Each structure stands twice: as C-alpha cells, then as structure tokens.
Amino acid sequence: GESVGLHLPTLSVQEGDNSIINCAYSNSASDYFIWYKQESGKGPQFIIDIRSNMDKRQGQRVTVLLNKTVKHLSLQIAATQPGDSAVYFCAEFYGDDKIIFGKGTRLHILP
Amino acid sequence: DTAVSQTPKYLVTQMGNDKSIKCEQNLGHDTMYWYKQDSKKFLKIMFSYNNKELIINETVPNRFSPKSPDKAHLNLHINSLELGDSAVYFCASSSPGGMNTEAFFGQGTRLTVV
C-alpha cells in the first residue's frame, strides 16, 4: 500500500479562520516533503516544501510542520480565503527519486 | 507562455484503440514525468525521464510507453486501451536538482475509455 495518507478527505473551514490539513507517512527514510494544491480542472501546484532536517517552514500564509517522531506532516493556512478551496496533497520523496502522493484532502471554504 | 503544456486536454476513445498524449515544457528542465490520477484524486507516478533517458518506470502495463524525442518533450503512448485506463494523466517537469525540487505540472489530460 501507499505510505502517505491523509486523515480527513474533506475539511470545511469558515472564511477567515485558519485551516490545518494533516498527512501521515510511513517511510522513515523519506527526506523531503512537498504540499501541493490542486484546483478544479488544473494540475497540482507547489505550495511549500520541507526537508527532514527541519521541523517547521513558513511561507506566505502557509506553514508546514514536520514531526518525524510520529511521521506526521501538516499544512496550516492562515486566514483562509475562498481562493484556497482546492484539493491539497502531501507528497514524500525517498531514494531512487521516488515520490508518493497521498489521496488528497478537499478544503471547502464556508462563507 | 505555458510552462508545461499537454495535448489534448480531453480524450474520449474506444477500448482497444491506441492513443498518444503529448507533453512539452519550455522551462529548460532536465527531468520530466508522467503521473496518473484516478477518480479518487490519487496521484501515482508512472515514468520519469532525465535528459531523454528513462530513470523510473513504476509498475505500469507495458501497453504504456513513454517517448522522449528531446529533453523538452515527453509523450505517452498507450496501446490497446482498456476501461481501467480512464483517468487524468499529468505531465510534469523539474529542474536539474531532480525530484527533490519543485515540479511543475501540466493541466492534465482527461482520458475516457468507452
């Protein structure tokens, strides 16, 4: 089976609130992780990445947290906006240039 | 000035046919990929090419054959199409750092086999 998975397939968040999307991975050898955003009818778009020697990385309105102890990755989106509605994927990278995507979490913004 | 472009965007065909999906990138990247996304939005890598050479060939039927005439193009040819091949196929490319760098994706090709 795939080693990357997401806890919630759908997440509904009030506009303006913060969103937290979670991801679990099982390959302890994974050393690089990316969060992608996929809007309807479009290809995945890079949001933010993190390497295994870090536990936190911040971007513009987004923060990725990595907990290697429990093999958990999260994406936090501050002040969620309607344009954040999309499917979010975490992806892990490990030896041989392998990348495995999770199944995706759909983020739904409530007005 | 689309970075990664795929054609066609939609493809409807009958079982048993042979079809190709084309992909081109104008980013100067060395590595290109094909991914398959199923109806549950699950993305799975199929092939990876670096400088026209195959470096990853995941477990896909040999009916699928990637062809890279130059490093800016990676086409996907599918023989004897089956119903289970219906999915969205994404092409992507990444910089010389390989897969440990940001990958740019095309808009996807929705293949429907009837």
Side-chain angles (χ1 to χ4, degrees), chain A residues 38 89 93 97-99, chain B residues 37 41 56 58 99-100:
Chain A
Q38 186 176 14
F89 297 89
F93 294 76
D97 286 339
K98 284 189 181 285
I99 172 174
Chain B
Q37 186 174 48
K41 294 290 190 181
I56 289 180
E58 293 294 323
M99 300 193 76
N100 283 351

Side-chain angles (χ1 to χ4, degrees), chain A residues 2 31-32 34 36 38 41-46 51 87 89 93 96-103 106, chain B residues 9 35 37 40-45 48 55-56 58 90 98-108:
Chain A
E2 301 299 335
D31 57 5
Y32 181 61
I34 292 181
Y36 284 94
Q38 186 176 14
K42 297 183 179 180
Q45 184 180 16
F46 175 98
R51 297 201 177 272
V87 175
F89 297 89
F93 294 76
D96 297 324
D97 286 339
K98 284 189 181 285
I99 172 174
I100 301 294
F101 286 89
K103 292 186 179 180
R106 185 176 300 279
Chain B
K9 188 171 174 62
Y35 292 88
Q37 186 174 48
K40 298 180 180 178
K41 294 290 190 181
F42 186 72
L43 265 170
K44 187 173 176 66
I45 190 168
S48 171
I55 59 174
I56 289 180
E58 293 294 323
F90 286 99
M99 300 193 76
N100 283 351
T101 58
E102 179 181 354
F104 291 81
F105 284 79
Q107 295 295 292

Side-chain angles (χ1 to χ4, degrees), chain A residues 3 16 20 37 43 51 59 66 76 80 86 90:
Chain A
S3 62
I20 300 176
K37 172 185 180 183
R51 297 201 177 272
L66 175 62
Q76 300 177 3
T80 310
C90 64

